[in-house]
Amino acid sequence: MTEEHKAAANPGQPKGVPVYQRLSRCALIFLLLALSGIIFLRRNIITLENLSYHTASMLFQPQNSSHPAIAQKGPLPPYNNHTICSHLEPTPDEALEDRALLDAIVWPKPPAPTSLNQTSDPVHSLFAILPSKGGRERRVGDQLEALVQMQDFLGRPKHYGGDFLVARLYSPELGAGVAGTVVDHLNGSYSALFPLLWEGPAQVTITMVHSSEAVAVLQRLREQRPDRFFFQSLFRSGERSETTVCNMCLPHNRPQEPLCNYTDLHTGEPWYCLKPKRLSCDTRINHFKGGYKKDLVTNKEALLFQSRVNIKVVIHASGPDRIDVLPRKIDNPELENRSIKPGPVKYNPSGYYYKGSWRSFDGTPVRQFDAKSITQCLTGKMINMYGDSTMRQWFEYLRAFVPEFNLRSTSTAGPFMAVDCQHNILLNYRCHNVPIGFPTIIASELRYVANELDRLPGGPNTVVALSLWAHFSPYPVEVYIRRMRHIRRALERLLVRGPGTLVIIRSPNLRALDKEYSLNHSDWFSLQLGRVLRNMFMGLAVVFVDAWEMTLAHHSPHNIHPPPDIIKNTISLILTQVCPAKKS
């Protein structure tokens, strides 16, 4: 074959180049590609390690289960629930539920004020008790309505809604109290509704917790500044130690800094710490509260959060704030003291106080327990309590009747245990996992509630009590939804393998507020989490303890840790469920 024929048969080869030279050029190209790949892998080794956590959490994520609390109503547009704390992409069912839960807590947004004088002023605002229909006397079973008109600091009526108000009807003479509900008419006026539940005097109190303008600031902080409350961990190896900042949203806040990834492999719950400079991530010793970041709001916004000015200030009445309630007109006088729903009213609370004792509206009279009856009720029972310090209060109350077993816990975080071998009683308390602002907690003692529930066999002698809310308020609501979803799935599994397990869920409660606590732990945050909590567990075989209404209806000042009188009533409510009265 001639050279011309060879060139025609191989048109891609240069003319007159020997074969071995062409092969050496190809080898050189492949060598350069291999070196580039090695360099790329070396530069991304940390990213690959972090992705292993993400992949594992995806593999171990529990199967999604439908829930009757949220029902789809027709086709909905695609929903993007990404926040700066997003971790895993939600499934379509999860995204649908997220949307419904967030829609249920939408709060009206006011126009931006130009000065404090244009914002809601509780001192200038007024309320009036509306006359009853037909001017007739008020009786037990009726409903009382008070109309609130909000005004600004110049005494001008407000023309838009969004103020956060709470209402209470009470009688110091009778030791009675009930929480009211507030309806926002979105025009600067509000209706406070109360069922009339006892005979005798009753007085109305309406309080502005935050103005609508302040709530708008809280909404912005929740969505944009979840890092305003931060945590730390100690890392130690030998004599070398370092302390670094930890939080859920560090990948967004510190994208250029190396991180230690402590994402839970079973639930996928994320947590990160800045990597120590000279220690490895597996030398983490503990977890503790770091503190609050300052300068979160402008000087103008700070005026919206002033104690005794526009944080939890009582609104006065334009006329009488007291009424006298007459007895119900009934044929059977034995029904007067019955502790059940008092009749058709527009608003039915979960219960009320009368003579200092809580009366429930679920149809079950709340029993009163002394030391002997508490022991009898708990005999043969295992009570497992998980959550924040508001759940620890329950353990501390019951510990007075069951001897504590010293687990040598070094902080208020626990874990704690109480055992009565004679009566076969076991009480357990364990705090929930991060985010939690307790004093120092040993890292190995940080446990996710969903994982702890999966370790319980359950059954008729098992009680599970949960209270998780106080430490989630700085974060976007999606963070709380994700945590509650994992717990709900774990409870569904528990109730299947252990029929008869009693599950009790405690709602958030009101607390004392100043500027700093308002910006990080406002009652408005707690109100929103409480609504999400109830909606997510609706339809599941659980008992709700409405701590919000039990603290709002009580005469004691608001406190993150309710006083002993409220705790006693709460425990009586719980033990009534644990040990229901035998039907005659």
Side-chain angles (χ1 to χ4, degrees):
M1 182 180 296
T2 65
E3 292 297 326
E4 289 77 13
H5 288 125
K6 289 180 181 181
N10 300 279
Q13 294 182 5
K15 186 175 180 179
V17 178
V19 174
Y20 71 90
Q21 289 185 10
R22 293 196 297 269
L23 290 176
S24 63
R25 289 181 181 179
C26 292
L28 181 60
I29 292 172
F30 282 117
L31 179 60
L32 290 174
L33 288 174
L35 288 174
S36 300
I38 293 172
I39 293 172
F40 177 81
L41 289 174
R42 285 176 61 85
R43 292 182 61 184
N44 289 275
I45 188 67
I46 296 176
T47 303
L48 292 173
E49 289 175 352
N50 288 339
L51 282 174
S52 67
Y53 278 92
H54 178 85
T55 304
S57 62
M58 291 287 286
L59 291 174
F60 284 92
Q61 188 174 359
Q63 185 76 16
N64 180 45
S65 57
S66 61
H67 191 67
I70 306 297
Q72 182 175 357
K73 298 180 180 179
L76 292 172
Y79 173 62
N80 184 0
N81 76 335
H82 282 293
T83 70
I84 64 173
C85 291
S86 295
H87 181 61
L88 297 177
E89 186 73 22
T91 66
D93 286 344
E94 291 171 349
L96 182 65
E97 183 184 37
D98 289 354
R99 178 183 182 129
L101 290 167
L102 294 174
D103 286 347
I105 61 171
V106 168
W107 199 271
K109 292 186 177 181
T114 58
S115 69
L116 177 67
N117 288 336
Q118 292 182 312
T119 67
S120 301
D121 177 18
V123 174
H124 279 93
S125 302
L126 296 169
F127 78 86
I129 296 177
L130 299 184
S132 59
K133 292 183 179 180
R136 62 184 178 85
E137 66 276 5
R138 294 183 174 89
R139 293 185 177 274
V140 173
D142 292 341
Q143 179 171 263
L144 179 69
E145 180 176 358
L147 183 65
V148 186
Q149 178 59 58
M150 299 301 295
Q151 301 187 37
D152 63 20
F153 279 83
L154 297 179
R156 299 172 300 191
K158 297 288 290 292
H159 298 291
Y160 52 85
D163 298 299
F164 177 26
L165 311 180
V166 294
R168 171 175 171 250
L169 185 70
Y170 67 102
S171 174
E173 301 91 334
L174 299 174
V178 64
T181 188
V182 177
V183 179
D184 187 347
H185 300 300
L186 303 178
N187 59 4
S189 66
Y190 302 77
S191 290
L193 306 176
F194 311 90
L196 300 181
L197 305 170
W198 60 82
E199 176 188 349
Q203 184 172 348
V204 174
T205 294
I206 300 175
T207 302
M208 188 189 86
V209 182
H210 295 302
S211 66
S212 57
E213 295 80 11
V215 171
V217 175
L218 297 178
Q219 286 183 291
R220 175 179 60 80
L221 291 176
R222 184 178 64 184
E223 302 306 320
Q224 300 178 11
R225 292 300 306 273
D227 62 329
R228 62 191 185 278
F229 186 72
F230 64 95
F231 307 88
Q232 293 178 301
S233 276
L234 171 68
F235 295 79
R236 186 171 59 217
S237 178
E239 297 183 355
R240 180 175 295 173
S241 64
E242 294 182 53
T243 299
T244 71
V245 172
C246 304
N247 213 322
M248 189 178 298
C249 311
L250 283 181
H252 177 273
N253 297 328
R254 307 284 189 93
Q256 304 301 323
E257 299 187 49
L259 302 175
C260 292
N261 187 342
Y262 298 109
T263 297
D264 181 63
L265 295 181
H266 181 67
T267 63
E269 285 288 348
W271 192 255
Y272 305 91
C273 293
L274 295 181
K275 187 182 183 305
K277 295 180 179 179
R278 298 187 297 170
L279 293 173
S280 64
C281 293
D282 59 6
T283 60
R284 183 185 181 213
I285 300 297
N286 59 29
H287 164 91
F288 56 94
K289 173 182 174 180
Y292 300 97
K293 291 189 176 181
K294 308 298 181 181
D295 302 324
L296 296 171
V297 295
T298 65
N299 292 335
K300 179 180 174 182
E301 291 173 332
L303 297 175
L304 302 172
F305 300 94
Q306 301 180 72
S307 298
R308 298 184 296 276
V309 175
N310 47 21
I311 297 178
K312 285 204 173 180
V313 177
V314 171
I315 297 173
H316 295 290
S318 60
D321 61 357
R322 292 171 62 94
I323 62 170
D324 287 312
V325 183
L326 300 178
R328 185 203 310 264
K329 286 185 177 180
I330 54 177
D331 296 330
N332 186 356
E334 294 182 359
L335 295 179
E336 288 190 17
N337 295 323
R338 196 169 63 174
S339 177
I340 61 173
K341 191 180 297 183
V345 293
K346 296 180 181 178
Y347 165 61
N348 287 324
S350 62
Y352 65 102
Y353 291 102
Y354 187 73
K355 295 182 178 179
S357 297
W358 182 257
R359 296 186 174 190
S360 178
F361 281 172
D362 67 355
T364 304
V366 178
R367 300 170 57 193
Q368 300 302 311
F369 293 82
D370 56 17
K372 181 179 179 181
S373 57
I374 287 177
T375 300
Q376 290 175 342
C377 177
L378 295 180
T379 296
K381 298 290 193 298
M382 180 172 66
I383 316 294
N384 302 280
M385 291 165 269
Y386 305 100
D388 52 41
S389 56
T390 61
M391 179 54 63
R392 189 183 66 227
Q393 280 190 285
W394 293 11
F395 176 87
E396 291 168 346
Y397 184 93
L398 294 173
R399 185 177 57 187
F401 309 98
V402 182
E404 184 172 5
F405 184 84
N406 188 1
L407 295 177
R408 305 195 183 281
S409 299
T410 57
S411 75
T412 56
F416 300 119
M417 178 185 291
V419 181
D420 184 340
C421 296
Q422 178 183 354
H423 298 94
N424 194 25
I425 302 172
L426 175 62
L427 307 179
N428 288 310
Y429 166 77
R430 181 176 288 278
C431 69
H432 67 75
N433 208 329
V434 291
I436 190 162
F438 280 0
T440 304
I441 307 174
I442 299 174
S444 60
E445 293 292 352
L446 291 170
R447 314 279 179 85
Y448 285 99
V449 172
N451 294 341
E452 292 297 295
L453 293 174
D454 281 336
R455 296 187 178 99
L456 295 178
N461 292 321
T462 300
V463 179
V464 171
L466 305 173
S467 180
L468 297 85
W469 58 275
H471 301 266
F472 289 87
S473 53
Y475 293 92
V477 179
E478 291 89 344
V479 170
Y480 188 69
I481 292 174
R482 182 178 62 216
R483 184 66 58 90
M484 293 304 105
R485 183 177 286 130
H486 293 144
I487 291 175
R488 187 179 67 194
R489 290 168 176 165
L491 287 176
E492 290 171 341
R493 294 189 291 268
L494 174 62
L495 293 172
V496 168
R497 69 175 176 272
T501 303
L502 176 61
V503 179
I504 299 170
I505 298 180
R506 181 194 189 279
S507 79
N509 59 262
L510 294 104
R511 65 189 301 165
L513 295 177
D514 56 16
K515 176 187 172 183
E516 184 176 82
Y517 273 97
S518 293
L519 295 178
N520 296 285
H521 302 288
S522 168
D523 287 340
W524 183 78
F525 296 134
S526 303
L527 174 70
Q528 297 245 298
L529 296 183
R531 291 176 177 175
V532 168
L533 179 71
R534 186 173 289 274
N535 285 333
M536 289 196 71
F537 288 91
M538 190 182 301
L540 198 62
V542 300
V543 175
F544 280 98
V545 172
D546 198 331
W548 182 273
E549 289 193 4
M550 294 186 76
T551 51
L552 178 55
H554 201 266
H555 60 80
S556 297
H558 298 162
N559 193 313
I560 180 64
H561 300 121
D565 188 36
I566 295 180
I567 299 301
K568 179 180 182 298
N569 275 285
T570 304
I571 296 299
S572 295
L573 179 61
I574 294 166
L575 295 182
T576 298
Q577 297 291 333
V578 176
C579 305
K582 296 182 179 179
K583 297 182 180 180
S584 59

